[in-house]
Amino acid sequence: LTMKRFALAVVCCALATSALAAGKPCEELKAEIEAKIQANNVSSYTLEIVSNEEVHDENMVVGSCESGTKKIIYQNNDRQPSR
């Protein structure tokens, strides 16, 4: 019973964190995400704020903002195929 309560608490905390971030202004959340990316020494990337309708690949979504009406998408530009 204790493990179930612990697991439930972890899930609730994760949901609360993402719900909190969803209400943030997009520029503020984008700046926070940008700081984390730069801390990982990624040199060439694109972060873009788009409406939900503009999201074509959910795997590129790194944040939700403006009460969930917009998403922040990330693309690593270092991974372009060589020809």
Side-chain angles (χ1 to χ4, degrees):
L1 185 65
T2 305
M3 269 318 255
K4 285 183 181 178
R5 284 186 182 169
F6 178 73
L8 183 62
V10 169
V11 169
C12 288
C13 287
L15 290 174
T17 302
S18 63
L20 201 60
K24 278 190 178 192
C26 288
E27 290 298 331
E28 181 182 333
L29 183 59
K30 182 180 174 187
E32 290 175 14
I33 294 169
E34 212 158 33
K36 290 178 184 179
I37 293 169
Q38 290 173 359
N40 286 315
N41 297 318
V42 177
S43 58
S44 182
Y45 65 91
T46 305
L47 275 182
E48 190 177 353
I49 299 167
V50 298
S51 67
N52 289 340
E53 294 78 31
E54 293 176 89
V55 176
H56 301 293
D57 184 355
E58 286 293 328
N59 294 321
M60 295 175 71
V61 175
V62 293
S64 179
C65 50
E66 307 281 331
S67 299
T69 60
K70 295 186 180 178
K71 303 279 191 263
I72 298 175
I73 56 174
Y74 165 83
Q75 182 175 1
N76 185 333
N77 298 330
D78 286 337
R79 294 185 190 165
Q80 295 183 358
S82 57
R83 295 188 180 236

